[in-house]
Each structure stands twice: as C-alpha cells, then as structure tokens.
C-alpha cells in the first residue's frame, strides 16, 4: 500500500500528491474561529461578517499609511531634484517665460505601445481569460484607421474583481512608458526610483456608473462627461494594472430604440460621434460574470 493510501474498512482512500488543506485550515482560524469569538454567540453570522470586514479595512488603512509616508518622502526628493535642475538650466528657462510650464519635464521622449495583453483575474469557474487592449492612431499612408479600445478601470479602493462598484469606464488613448534615464539637460541621470516601473496609459473617462443597471436589458449606461475648463476631455494617467478588463460600448440611438442610425455613425467613428452608450455585459461569459 502506497504512502498516500489508507485502508478504511471495505475501501481504500487515496489522496492527490502535493496537495494539502493547511491553507484552508489557516483561513478557517482567521475568518471563522476568531470571528466567532468576537461575537456574542447570538445571531453570529452578520457579526462575523462585520468583524472580518473591519479587520480588512484596518489592514488596508495600515497599507495606505505606509504608502502615503513613502509618497511624502519621494515628493521631498523630487522637490530637491527639481531645484537642482532649475539651477543648472536657469538660462534656458528664462529665455522664454511663457514656456515655463513645459520646462520641468526631465525627458524628451517616451516609448509608445500600440497594444498590451493581459490575463484578467480568474473567477471561481476556473476559466482562464486572455484580454487585449489596443491604442493605435490612424496612419494615412498605410491606410490604417485609428482604434482606441474601451476598458473598465479600478478607480477607487472599494473596487473588486466583479461588479462595477469603485470602477469606471474609460477609453485608452495612449500606452507608454517613462524612460529609464533623464534628458541631457539633466546630465543623463538615472530616472528616480519612485517613477512607475511599468507601462502607463492615458485614458479619457466616461460618466460614473449609476447605482443600478437599466431594468429592461440589465446594462449600465454611460455618457461622455463635459469638457474641462480648458476645453479638454476629462482624463487621467494610470498604471496598466488598474485596467481590470476590456469592455464593449453599444451606442444609444438619439431618438430611442426605434430611431434611425445617424449618417455620421460608423464602426470607426461611433465612439467619437455618439454621446451615450450601454456597457454590453452580453459579449461573453466573463463580461456577464463581472459587469453587473
């Protein structure tokens, strides 16, 4: 009889090699036993859930405090570096005072990517997904049309792997990475350690999600928010890790479902010309499981 077998009365029990229940036993202590001891042992389940939630919030707050402390230290280092750079380039910065807002950038170019692929968070069904997001500008000589995909972004701390709470729909306009060395103006110094190490994305926001989807088709509706005071779209630079998944936006007809499609709408222009969209959660199993 092998080491992973045991004779139990009338049958033999076998265990799978290299697997054990230690992790789940440990979680049972943290999430069940300790939580139960913190209750008054009456109607304990809601109390246990509240206790576990509070423990997670306190842990996240400690992480936030550490990150905030690191950010303050990095900002102090950044201010010191900027002061040094300004002293070295005083002549260049005073020649054209109207361009002072552009002189603080310590680099002259960035690396641009037209797409990135990633694996979204695996759900409980065990299916592994492969997602791709593209941000490709038009190229007239190659007859290449522009493509800027839409995504779901983890925008707030309460965002999760499913649902839309704490998330926001956005359109990826550019994917880039900061250089590892500064420009010659900064004597080719190595980029600060606090710079993002991975690629970034500039996204343009759609409106925030409503508290519930449309009761008819169970899809959320988003629209283009108003422009900023400078006449620019509302946007933000984010790490690629904040992009949870790609999504499909279906345009809403101006005159309702029975209306006609405007002449200036096409598959290549509808994201620019339409103002309101449904977030399609019927495009596949993963979207159906996450966009609710």
């Amino acid at each position: 009889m092998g080491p992973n077998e045991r004779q139990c009365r009338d049958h033999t029990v076998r265990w799978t090699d290299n697997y054990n229940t230690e992790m789940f036993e440990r979680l049972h202590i943290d999430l069940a036993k300790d939580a139960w001891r913190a209750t008054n042992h009456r109607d304990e389940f809601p109390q246990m859930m509240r206790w576990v939630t509070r423990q997670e919030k306190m842990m996240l707050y400690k992480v936030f405090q550490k990150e905030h402390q690191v950010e303050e230290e990095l900002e102090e280092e950044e201010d010191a570096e900027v002061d040094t750079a300004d002293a070295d380039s005083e002549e260049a910065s005073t020649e054209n005072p109207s361009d002072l807002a552009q002189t603080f950038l310590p680099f002259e170019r960035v690396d641009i990517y037209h797409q990135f692929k990633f694996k979204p968070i695996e759900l409980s069904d065990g299916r592994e997904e492969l997602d791709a997001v593209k941000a490709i500008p038009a190229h007239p000589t190659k007859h290449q049309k522009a493509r800027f995909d839409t995504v779901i972004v983890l925008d707030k701390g309460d965002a999760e792997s499913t649902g839309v709470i704490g998330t926001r729909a956005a359109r990826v306009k550019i994917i880039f990475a900061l250089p590892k060395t500064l420009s010659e103006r900064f004597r080719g110094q190595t980029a600060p350690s606090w710079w993002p190490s991975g690629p970034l994305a500039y996204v343009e926001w759609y409106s925030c999600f409503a508290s519930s989807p449309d009761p008819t088709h169970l899809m959320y509706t988003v629209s283009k928010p108003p422009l900023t005071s400078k006449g620019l779209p509302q946007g933000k630079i984010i790490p690629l890790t904040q992009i949870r998944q790609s999504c499909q936006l279906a345009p809403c007809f101006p005159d309702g479902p029975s209306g006609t499609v405007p002449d200036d709408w096409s598959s290549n222009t509808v994201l620019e010309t339409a103002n309101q969209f449904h977030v399609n959660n019927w495009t596949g199993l993963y979207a159906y499981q996450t966009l609710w």
Side-chain angles (χ1 to χ4, degrees), residues 188-207:
Q189 299 178 19
T190 303
S193 59
W194 49 266
W195 275 24
S197 58
L200 307 170
Y202 170 71
V203 300
E204 292 181 354
W205 294 122
Y206 290 97
S207 60

Side-chain angles (χ1 to χ4, degrees), residues 97-108:
S98 62
D99 294 336
L100 285 177
Q102 303 177 9
T103 60
F104 73 93
L105 291 177
F107 51 84
E108 299 173 353

Side-chain angles (χ1 to χ4, degrees), residues 190-259:
T190 303
S193 59
W194 49 266
W195 275 24
S197 58
L200 307 170
Y202 170 71
V203 300
E204 292 181 354
W205 294 122
Y206 290 97
S207 60
C208 297
F209 288 109
S211 58
S212 60
D214 189 291
T216 303
H217 45 63
L218 301 181
M219 290 189 292
Y220 287 90
T221 302
V222 296
S223 58
K224 293 180 179 178
L227 301 178
T228 65
S229 58
K230 296 182 179 180
L232 301 174
Q234 297 184 28
K236 186 178 181 181
I237 295 176
I238 62 171
L240 292 190
T241 52
Q242 284 187 229
I243 296 179
R244 190 182 74 182
Q245 66 189 102
S246 62
C247 68
Q248 183 188 70
L249 300 185
C252 302
F253 293 157
D255 300 325
S258 59

Side-chain angles (χ1 to χ4, degrees), residues 16 134 141 157 167 193 200 247 262 290:
T16 306
K134 296 185 178 182
T141 59
T167 68
S193 59
L200 307 170
C247 68
T290 54

Side-chain angles (χ1 to χ4, degrees), residues 160-165 212-213 218 220 244 281 286-292:
E160 298 181 355
S161 57
T162 60
V164 299
I165 296 177
S212 60
L218 301 181
Y220 287 90
R244 190 182 74 182
N281 59 353
Y286 193 84
Y288 180 76
Q289 291 174 308
T290 54
L291 298 176
W292 47 266

Side-chain angles (χ1 to χ4, degrees), residues 266-282:
S266 70
S267 59
N268 296 313
T269 63
V270 68
L271 288 175
E272 284 83 14
T273 52
N275 292 318
Q276 199 171 41
F277 305 86
H278 296 310
V279 183
N280 191 354
N281 59 353
W282 305 96

Side-chain angles (χ1 to χ4, degrees), residues 2-182:
N4 290 331
E5 298 181 4
R6 178 182 297 174
Q7 192 70 33
C8 296
R9 294 185 180 179
D10 298 330
H11 65 280
T12 301
V13 179
R14 294 179 175 86
W15 290 276
T16 306
D17 291 334
N18 301 324
Y19 285 85
N20 59 61
T21 61
E22 291 182 1
M23 179 180 69
F24 304 103
E25 290 291 343
R26 179 59 192 170
L27 291 176
H28 184 70
I29 295 174
D30 294 338
L31 304 181
K33 291 183 177 180
D34 289 347
W36 185 82
R37 295 189 184 103
T39 70
N40 62 0
H41 306 164
R42 293 186 179 182
D43 192 20
E44 67 277 359
F45 187 72
Q47 299 180 57
M48 292 169 64
M49 295 297 295
R50 190 179 302 112
W51 184 86
V52 171
T53 301
R54 288 174 176 174
Q55 295 299 313
E56 292 177 347
K57 289 181 177 180
M58 288 189 291
M59 179 187 67
L60 293 174
Y61 181 67
K62 290 180 180 179
V63 174
F64 170 77
Q65 285 182 313
K66 292 181 180 179
E67 292 180 350
H68 186 65
Q69 182 179 0
V70 172
E71 288 178 358
E72 290 181 345
E73 295 175 355
L74 293 177
E75 287 178 358
E76 293 177 358
E77 294 178 2
E78 179 185 4
D79 293 339
E81 291 178 1
V82 171
D83 292 341
T84 304
D86 289 342
D88 293 339
S89 58
E90 181 179 356
E91 181 178 353
S93 62
T94 56
E95 288 179 356
N96 192 353
S98 62
D99 294 336
L100 285 177
Q102 303 177 9
T103 60
F104 73 93
L105 291 177
F107 51 84
E108 299 173 353
R109 60 183 297 275
V110 294
D111 294 327
I112 303 297
Y113 305 92
H114 285 171
Q115 69 172 335
F116 75 97
K117 298 180 179 180
F118 63 104
K119 294 181 179 180
I121 297 175
E122 184 176 329
L123 301 180
S124 58
D125 60 3
R127 295 173 179 265
E128 186 176 74
E129 297 285 332
L130 180 62
D131 209 338
V133 175
K134 296 185 178 182
I136 306 175
H139 199 297
T141 59
K142 295 182 178 180
H143 304 286
Q144 176 178 287
K145 296 181 179 180
R147 173 176 172 176
F148 301 102
D149 289 348
T150 50
V151 295
I152 300 297
V153 178
L154 303 174
D155 186 42
K156 297 181 180 179
D158 54 352
E160 298 181 355
S161 57
T162 60
V164 299
I165 296 177
T167 68
R168 193 168 178 180
R171 193 178 185 192
V172 179
K173 301 297 290 186
I174 188 171
I175 305 167
F176 66 98
L178 297 179
K180 296 181 180 180
T181 57
L182 305 184

